[in-house]
Amino acid sequence: MSLFTRLAAAAVLVAAATTGVSAKEWKTVRIGTEGAYPPFNYVENNELKGFDIDIAKALCEKMKVTCTFTAQDWDGIIPALLAGKYDAIVASMSITEERKQQIAFSKKYYNTPANFVAPKDTKITDTSPEALKGKVLGAQGSTIHSNYLEDVYAKAGAEVKLYGKQDEANLDLANGRLDAILADKVVLLEWMGTKEGECCKFVGSEYKDPKYFGEGVGVGIRKDDAELVAMFNKAIDEIVADGTYKKINDKYFPFSVY
């Protein structure tokens, strides 16, 4: 064996040993979620529930890890992940280029469109930026929906109001302080099925532009934890393949959100 071959072989062994030492063995995964975004995540009887929570539990079962859950306000959900408060975000977070600058994502585990909702007596039929000039529009802050309103509608002359939680935007719409809100269609549909949401209706068409609305919703993970990304991706494939995903989907929705 030549000197070059021996050195190359030694380098491979060192690299393999180093990789083995540094790779983390995941036995517990701490998950952060919002707990204020029904039907995807919410608190009921002091317990986190919803589609996100059920999907997370199913993924943890496939990964053969113990999962714990932490509720975190939306505005601080990425900073808390980066600070090590938890290991993954399962909170209906859309995969966008902007967020991928900060964190890694699993593949999508659902994908639903955005829509405007306005009072039932509204005269709004056209929801183009030009048509909503001068209108007061609301959205939850630090979301794909708020980014879209600020980038497109505010520049066209609409007034944009942002809220810490989706429920706060819904309440202002119901109380006549907004002309319309933009949010996930499924979340709005859930709210419109409540007494408070009876005030309102969908207006305009669905919004799906990947430039603003991302590639679907994924699990947010620190970039350094590549092995955890791979574990979640494998688990997502498995729950889709074996019917677990459909069972959870059908518990919450009369249509597929995948």
Side-chain angles (χ1 to χ4, degrees):
M1 182 184 292
S2 68
L3 176 61
F4 176 80
T5 303
R6 289 198 299 273
L7 289 174
V12 169
L13 289 173
V14 169
T18 302
T19 301
V21 170
S22 63
K24 179 173 180 178
E25 185 179 356
W26 291 95
K27 294 183 178 180
T28 299
V29 176
R30 301 166 300 158
I31 293 175
T33 192
E34 185 186 13
Y37 199 62
F40 293 103
N41 56 78
Y42 57 94
V43 176
E44 183 177 274
N45 298 324
N46 295 317
E47 183 181 354
L48 283 164
K49 294 186 176 182
F51 179 80
D52 285 327
I53 309 306
D54 287 356
I55 287 290
K57 289 177 178 178
L59 295 176
C60 291
E61 185 176 343
K62 291 296 184 185
M63 295 189 295
K64 295 181 172 56
V65 298
T66 300
C67 279
T68 60
F69 292 85
T70 298
Q72 169 69 48
D73 287 346
W74 181 256
D75 283 351
I77 205 162
I78 288 179
L81 172 70
L82 296 176
K85 185 176 180 180
Y86 35 77
D87 306 304
I89 296 170
V90 184
S92 291
M93 179 169 283
S94 296
I95 305 164
T96 66
E97 290 302 319
E98 182 180 1
R99 289 176 179 146
K100 285 195 285 188
Q101 300 303 312
Q102 301 180 72
I103 62 175
F105 281 96
S106 71
K107 59 179 58 180
K108 71 155 188 173
Y109 66 89
Y110 83 82
N111 193 8
T112 51
N115 222 120
F116 277 105
V117 161
K120 284 184 175 176
D121 62 358
T122 186
K123 294 182 180 179
I124 295 173
T125 54
D126 180 357
T127 56
S128 66
E130 297 76 18
L132 296 186
K133 180 179 180 180
K135 300 295 186 184
V136 184
L137 309 177
Q140 183 177 9
S142 301
T143 63
I144 54 176
H145 310 107
S146 65
N147 290 343
Y148 188 60
L149 289 185
E150 290 183 307
D151 287 355
V152 179
Y153 285 79
K155 290 177 182 177
E159 180 184 347
V160 174
K161 286 187 158 185
L162 304 182
Y163 298 83
K165 295 181 179 180
Q166 185 62 46
D167 285 347
E168 295 169 357
N170 297 350
L171 183 62
D172 263 10
L173 179 66
N175 288 333
R177 290 189 281 268
L178 295 170
D179 293 304
I181 57 176
L182 182 68
D184 183 281
K185 187 168 186 175
V186 174
V187 170
L188 291 173
L189 189 63
E190 173 87 358
W191 173 65
M192 289 161 65
T194 67
K195 186 171 182 179
E196 181 191 270
E198 289 176 355
C199 63
C200 302
K201 66 178 182 180
F202 288 115
V203 291
S205 57
E206 296 177 347
Y207 291 81
K208 301 177 180 179
D209 183 355
K211 176 182 176 183
Y212 288 101
F213 299 100
E215 309 159 22
V217 165
V219 180
I221 302 159
R222 286 182 293 272
K223 289 185 176 183
D224 290 344
D225 292 331
E227 69 277 11
L228 189 57
V229 175
M231 287 169 63
F232 271 109
N233 283 342
K234 182 172 182 288
I236 290 169
D237 286 342
E238 289 174 350
I239 66 170
V240 170
D242 72 6
T244 301
Y245 185 96
K246 186 178 187 304
K247 184 177 179 181
I248 297 171
N249 183 108
D250 293 352
K251 175 182 173 182
Y252 291 93
F253 314 114
F255 47 81
S256 175
V257 298
Y258 186 65

